[in-house]
Amino acid sequence: MTRLLRWTIVPVLLVASAWVWAPNRDRVPDRLVIDEVVADIGPMLAPAPRRADVRPNSEIDEGGGTRHALVTPPGTVLRARVQLPADAVLTFGVGIEGERRRDTSASDVRFALALDGRELWTRIVNPAATRRDRRWFDERVPLGNATPREAELTLTTTAEQADAPSPGTAAWSAVRLLHTTQHDRQAVGPTRPNVLVLLVDTLRADRLGAYGATPSPTPSLDRLAGEGRVFTQSIAQAPWTLPSVTSILTGVHPRSHGVLGRLAGEHDDAIEAAFLADTFRTLPEHAAAAGITTVGVSANPLIGRGTNVVQGFETFVEYGWDRPRRNWMPATDVNDRFLDWARANSDHRFFAYLQYMEPHDPYTPADDAPAAPAGVRPVVARGEIHDLARKINWGAAPPLPEVELAHLRHLYDGEVARFDQALAQLRAGLEAAGLWDSTIVIVTADHGESFQEHGRLTHGTHLYDELLHVPLVMAGPGIPPGRDDRLAQGIDVYPTVSRLLGLPPPTGVAGHDLLGDERTESVFSETSIGVGPDGARTELVSLRTPAWKLVHAPDHSYFELYDLRQDPSEHTDLGGQTPEGVALAGTLTTWRTTAPAPPAVADAPVLTDKLRALGYVE
C-alpha cells in the first residue's frame, strides 16, 4: 500500500462580515497532529459509484468549487473492507449540486458514515432549503481504533422524505484514510523566529519605491526594505497565480509540479492540470514535520483546498468573491483574520502565508478615488477591466487609448498604496502582540500586470518583465540588510525559508537558498495560456540570464531574443538565430526535455468558472 506524507488541512471557510472573534476560537491543540495518507477509499467502494464533476456553488464563493466526486443519489449504500492503521482518521467532503434556488418541496438529504455497522458521523444537507448548504462540507472523523485492525466502512446517502423531490446531485469527494501522529510544537525564541510570507497578487516590482518608483506609493514597504534585504532581480516562474504560487510552495517548476491550468478543450470549456498531487512535500509540510505551527489566509480562491496547493497547512482560511463589495476580500480583513489567530497562538513558533488581492483587478483603490478624465469609458473609469482586457488580448477589440491606460495605471497605483497601508496595519498589530521582533517577514508577488507595454492587458498571456519581474524583500532577525542584484526566483523561497526556520534542506526542489553562496545563472518561466505569434492560445517558455531573455513558443518554433542590458523594456527583438540566441535555445530545449515530469493526479477537478472569474479564460 502506497504511503504518502500529507499534513492536515483545516479549511476555515468564513464570510468576514458575519464573523466575530472569540479569544479561544483560533487556539490550536497543545500538540501538533500530523496526518499520513494511507489509502484513497474511493476505488475500494462497492458497488463502484459513478464519478462526475460536482459543483455545489459558484467557484468563487466560500465552500464552492468543482470536485471530481463520487455521485451517490439518495438510496445509495457503499461499502469497503479496509485495513485500519492505529488511530485512523477518515477525511472526506459531502455536497449537493442543485438549481441554486429555493424549493420548499425538496427533501433533506442525509449523509452518514458507519464503521462495522456503528454510525460515527451524519450530516443533513438541503441546498434548496438554505443557501448555507450550497457548498462542500469537509469532514474529519476519527475512527476510534487504538490498534490496527480490519473493518468495514459504509457510506450512505438517504432522502429524509422519501416521496419528495431530490434537491440535486449528492456526492462524496476525496474519501481518504489517514494515520495520525502527534508532535510537540516548537516555541518561538531568540534563535527560533517565526517566518511570515506576504504574497501580493499581481504586484509589479517597478511600481514600488524600493524598486525605483517615484513618487513612492509604498512608504511602509520601503521602510521594511530599508531594514532588510532587497532582491532587485526576482523573477516569477509563471505570469499568473496558480502555477506561480504552486512553484513557491513546492520549490519546483510548473512543468514538474503539474499545476499548469492547461485548457482541456478548444473553447475554454474545461481546465485541467489544476490540482497538486499529494506526493509533493510542500513548504508548510516541511515546517510541520519539525513541530512548527502553520497557518495561511488567502483572498484568492485559486489558492485553497480546491486545488490542493495548500496541503500541509494546519489552519487555512479561504476567501472568495465578496459580493456586497463587488470585489475580493481586502487586505485589512486578511490581516485581521491572521492577527486574531496569531494572538491566540503567540507562544507557538509559526510559518504563516498570507495572500492579498490588491492590486488584482478590478482596480478599486477607494470609494473616493479621483474622477476619470473626459473620454474614459465608464467601465474603465470603474477599473473593471476584466471583460475588456480579454477582448483586447485576443484581438476582438482595439487597444486602449493612452488616456484610459493612464487612468488604469493611476487606479492600480492606488491599489498598491492600499496594500501598503494594510502592511502598516499588520506591522502595528504584530508589534502590539509582541511578535514583530521575533518574526521574519518576506514580501513577494506571484506575477505582475500588463498595461499594453506589449499590446496586452492584465496577466497570464506572455513572458515579458512587466509580468515576471516581482518584488522580493526579506526583513527580520538574522536577515543581512542591503540590496542583492543576483537573479532570484519563486522556487528559491522554499529552500530559503527552510534555512530561516532551521530546517534540513528540502530534497527534490529546483531552487536554492538565497542567503547562501550559490548563484542562479538561468531562470526558466512558462505559461500554458499564452498568446502565440498567430494570436492563438499556446504554451510559452522563457530563459533569462543576467544579460539576456529568450522567449520561445514551442508549437510554432518561434523565438524572441532581448539584450536586457541595452533593452530592459524588451522592445527590440534580436531574433533567435544570433549566436547568443542559439546557445540559449539549446539550454532551454535541454531544460524542457529533461525537467522532471509531474506525478499523475486521479480525480482532479476542473476549475473553469473560478479561472473565468479571475480573467484567465473566456
Side-chain angles (χ1 to χ4, degrees):
M1 185 179 298
T2 302
R3 299 172 72 86
L4 309 175
L5 287 179
R6 184 180 180 204
W7 279 261
T8 309
I9 301 171
V10 182
V12 185
L13 303 172
L14 306 170
V15 178
S17 61
W19 180 81
V20 178
W21 179 70
N24 295 322
R25 184 191 185 286
D26 288 311
R27 179 68 181 179
V28 296
D30 290 338
R31 303 200 74 203
L32 179 62
V33 176
I34 296 179
D35 290 338
E36 181 184 11
V37 176
V38 176
D40 179 358
I41 300 300
M44 303 180 184
L45 293 167
R50 181 173 68 90
R51 295 173 180 262
D53 294 323
V54 177
R55 185 181 65 184
N57 201 345
S58 167
E59 294 270 13
I60 58 173
D61 284 341
E62 285 77 16
T66 300
R67 300 184 187 179
H68 199 63
L70 311 174
V71 176
T72 57
T76 298
V77 179
L78 304 174
R79 294 184 174 89
R81 297 295 299 180
V82 296
Q83 191 66 40
L84 301 181
D87 301 316
V89 170
L90 200 72
T91 60
F92 52 89
V94 295
I96 300 175
E97 178 177 342
E99 295 294 329
R100 299 176 199 153
R101 58 182 175 82
R102 186 170 178 80
D103 181 358
T104 57
S105 69
S107 173
D108 293 343
V109 173
R110 184 176 187 268
F111 296 92
L113 165 69
L115 182 69
D116 289 335
R118 181 171 64 93
E119 191 170 273
L120 299 181
W121 168 92
T122 184
R123 179 180 287 278
I124 303 296
V125 180
N126 189 345
T130 173
R131 285 179 175 270
R132 291 191 300 272
D133 284 2
R134 297 172 191 173
R135 53 166 291 180
W136 287 106
F137 292 91
D138 291 304
E139 309 289 354
R140 176 186 175 87
V141 181
L143 300 185
N145 61 305
T147 58
R149 68 182 182 89
E150 187 177 274
E152 183 179 74
L153 290 171
T154 305
L155 313 182
T156 61
T157 307
T158 56
E160 292 289 271
Q161 298 84 38
D163 58 347
S166 170
T169 301
W172 297 66
S173 73
V175 185
R176 288 172 173 150
L177 181 65
L178 311 178
H179 169 61
T180 66
T181 57
Q182 295 188 15
H183 291 249
D184 292 333
R185 295 182 188 272
Q186 284 195 28
V188 67
T191 61
R192 297 188 303 273
N194 305 309
V195 174
L196 172 59
V197 174
L198 310 180
L199 188 135
V200 189
D201 206 301
T202 319
L203 182 62
R204 295 170 59 133
D206 63 0
R207 306 311 297 171
L208 311 177
Y211 286 80
T214 54
S216 173
T218 54
S220 299
L221 183 55
D222 299 345
R223 176 188 176 189
L224 188 73
E227 297 167 347
R229 194 159 195 82
V230 177
F231 294 87
T232 63
Q233 296 299 317
S234 178
I235 306 300
Q237 252 62 60
W240 64 289
T241 298
L242 188 55
S244 181
V245 171
T246 308
S247 285
I248 289 171
L249 293 176
T250 61
V252 300
H253 293 97
R255 68 182 50 244
S256 294
H257 60 61
V259 186
L260 297 168
R262 290 190 301 260
L263 291 176
E266 295 181 359
H267 303 292
D268 297 347
D269 56 351
I271 299 294
E272 64 176 4
F275 192 84
L276 181 65
D278 285 311
T279 48
F280 285 98
R281 194 182 201 192
T282 63
L283 174 51
E285 287 176 314
H286 194 45
I292 297 170
T293 303
T294 59
V295 60
V297 185
S298 175
N300 187 319
L302 286 178
I303 307 306
R305 190 182 183 91
T307 55
N308 205 34
V309 171
V310 302
Q311 64 173 343
F313 281 103
E314 181 181 20
T315 302
F316 201 88
V317 182
E318 305 175 39
Y319 288 119
W321 181 255
D322 186 347
R323 293 183 182 276
R325 290 188 177 103
R326 291 181 54 81
N327 209 332
W328 309 108
M329 198 64 66
T332 51
D333 287 37
V334 171
N335 289 343
D336 286 343
R337 188 67 188 86
F338 167 68
L339 288 169
D340 288 339
W341 181 94
R343 285 188 286 264
N345 298 285
S346 59
D347 54 332
H348 298 315
R349 189 185 188 196
F350 64 75
F351 166 71
Y353 173 88
L354 309 183
Q355 180 154 346
Y356 306 96
M357 282 296 272
E358 294 89 351
H360 194 287
D361 70 280
Y363 312 131
T364 52
D367 294 335
D368 58 352
V376 174
R377 284 167 285 182
V379 66
V380 178
R382 296 192 301 270
E384 297 176 356
I385 196 63
H386 176 285
D387 293 333
L388 187 55
R390 189 170 63 240
K391 293 177 181 178
I392 292 171
N393 291 345
W394 299 105
L400 296 183
E402 179 55 36
V403 64
E404 292 189 329
L405 278 176
H407 179 65
L408 289 179
R409 285 192 291 263
H410 178 74
L411 294 178
Y412 177 89
D413 287 346
E415 289 256 28
V416 173
R418 188 167 69 169
F419 159 73
D420 193 71
Q421 294 159 9
L423 177 60
Q425 169 225 2
L426 177 64
R427 179 170 186 156
L430 290 171
E431 288 174 341
L435 293 170
W436 180 260
D437 292 337
S438 58
T439 300
I440 296 169
V441 178
I442 300 174
V443 181
T444 189
D446 49 355
H447 56 79
E449 189 80 324
S450 295
F451 292 97
Q452 289 184 183
E453 291 89 348
H454 290 86
R456 298 188 178 92
L457 294 168
T458 65
H459 49 268
T461 57
H462 64 69
L463 297 175
Y464 303 113
D465 263 14
E466 58 265 26
L467 294 190
L468 296 182
H469 185 203
V470 296
L472 181 57
V473 174
M474 301 181 187
I479 300 296
R483 299 179 72 83
D484 193 325
D485 296 330
R486 295 176 296 173
L487 279 178
Q489 52 188 329
I491 56 175
D492 295 337
V493 172
Y494 186 165
T496 304
V497 170
S498 294
R499 173 196 179 107
L500 295 173
L501 291 172
L503 306 177
T507 59
V509 301
H512 70 269
D513 173 11
L514 290 170
L515 299 178
D517 296 328
E518 188 176 354
R519 299 181 68 92
T520 295
E521 299 298 334
S522 301
V523 174
F524 300 98
S525 303
E526 54 191 312
T527 180
S528 60
I529 58 172
V531 179
D534 60 352
R537 196 183 294 278
T538 191
E539 175 194 6
L540 297 175
V541 294
S542 69
L543 166 60
R544 183 196 179 99
T545 70
W548 297 93
K549 164 81 77 67
L550 182 73
V551 180
H552 177 38
D555 291 340
H556 302 269
S557 299
Y558 178 82
F559 293 89
E560 298 176 19
L561 179 68
Y562 299 98
D563 182 344
L564 299 177
R565 291 175 177 169
Q566 301 299 319
D567 178 29
S569 298
E570 302 168 288
H571 284 302
T572 303
D573 176 15
L574 301 178
Q577 300 307 309
T578 64
E580 295 85 0
V582 171
L584 292 172
T587 302
L588 185 57
T589 298
T590 298
W591 172 74
R592 289 186 62 245
T593 56
T594 62
V601 178
D603 298 336
V606 295
L607 295 170
T608 308
D609 288 350
K610 188 175 290 185
L611 292 166
R612 183 180 293 116
L614 288 156
Y616 296 127
V617 301
E618 295 182 17

